[in-house]
Amino acid sequence: DIVMTQSPDSLAVSLGERATISCKSSQSVLFTSNNKNYLAWYQQKPGQPPKLLIYWASTRESGVPDRFSGSGSGTDFTLTISSLQAEDVAVYYCQQHYSSQITFGQGTRLEIK
Amino acid sequence: EVQLLESGGGFVQPGGSLRLSCAASEFTFSSYAMSWVRQAPGKGLEWVSSIRGSGGATYYADSVKGRFTISRDNSKNSLYLQMDILRAEDTAVYYCAKGVGSGIYSFDYWGQGTLVTVSS
C-alpha cells in the first residue's frame, strides 16, 4: 500500500498568517499518461464529514476560497492557506487514489495561535 | 444539491453482522463510483471499500477483505455495505462518499455518517 505521511501532526498559526501542511507519499502518485497527480486534500471540522478542498494536487474544488492552494508532484505535496481565518480551524487530510487501495494521511490539526 | 443518507448503523456483538445503506439523490448515480470510508472515535480517516459506477469492479482495504461486501443497486440509487464477522476494531462512523468520476477518484460529496459499535 502507498503510505501517506503528513507533517506536522498539529500546527498553530496566527490569524492572517500563512499555514503550510506537507504530505509525502511512499511512492509516486503521478500518472504519467495524463500527467495528473492522484492526490486530494480534505478539511474536516468537528462533528462534520470531510470536505473536498483540492483534487489532482492543485485544482481547487468549486466554492473553496482561493486562500487554499495545493502544490507538488510525484511524492511531495503541500497544502497552503495563505491567510488563516478563524473558520479554517479543522483537521486536514491528504489522500492518494493512484492505487485502488486508497490511503489517507494521518491528519494535521490546525489551530489558531 | 447532491444528498447521501446513510442508515443501518448500530450496536452489535463481535462476530455479528450489519448491513449499511446509503440513499443517493440529485445526481446520476450509475455514472459515479461510490465508496465507504470510516473513522474510529478520535482517529483519522480510513478507506474501506469502493465500487465503480457500473458495479463491475469492487475494491477493499486489507483490513476488511473477506468480511465486508460492497454492492449497489443503480435502479434504487442505493449503495450498501454488508459487514460480517465484525470485530471491536470495526467500531467507527461509516461515511458514504461519492467519487468525482466513474473510476476511483477523490470524493466530492460525503454523507453525515452512521455509527457502528462492536462490543460485547
Side-chain angles (χ1 to χ4, degrees), chain A residues 1 38 40 42 44 47-52 55-56 61 93 95 97 99-102 104 106, chain B residues 37 39 43-47 50 59-62 65 95 100 104-108 110-112:
Chain A
D1 291 1
Y38 283 44
Y42 299 86
Q44 187 179 31
Q48 297 184 18
K51 173 187 175 182
L52 178 64
Y55 58 97
W56 300 136
E61 173 72 339
Y93 296 92
Q95 173 226 347
H97 50 94
S99 163
S100 60
Q101 295 289 304
I102 292 168
F104 289 90
Q106 80 276 18
Chain B
V37 178
Q39 187 167 36
K43 303 297 184 182
L45 301 172
E46 180 188 14
W47 169 75
S50 296
Y59 310 87
Y60 298 93
D62 289 343
K65 199 172 297 182
Y95 294 104
V100 169
I104 305 305
Y105 298 122
S106 49
F107 310 129
D108 55 357
W110 299 63
Q112 289 299 311

Side-chain angles (χ1 to χ4, degrees), chain A residues 2 9 17 30 35 48 52-53 66 74 81 87:
Chain A
I2 299 176
D9 289 334
E17 296 299 306
L30 173 63
N35 201 38
Q48 297 184 18
L52 178 64
L53 296 176
D66 61 7
I81 307 172
E87 61 265 31

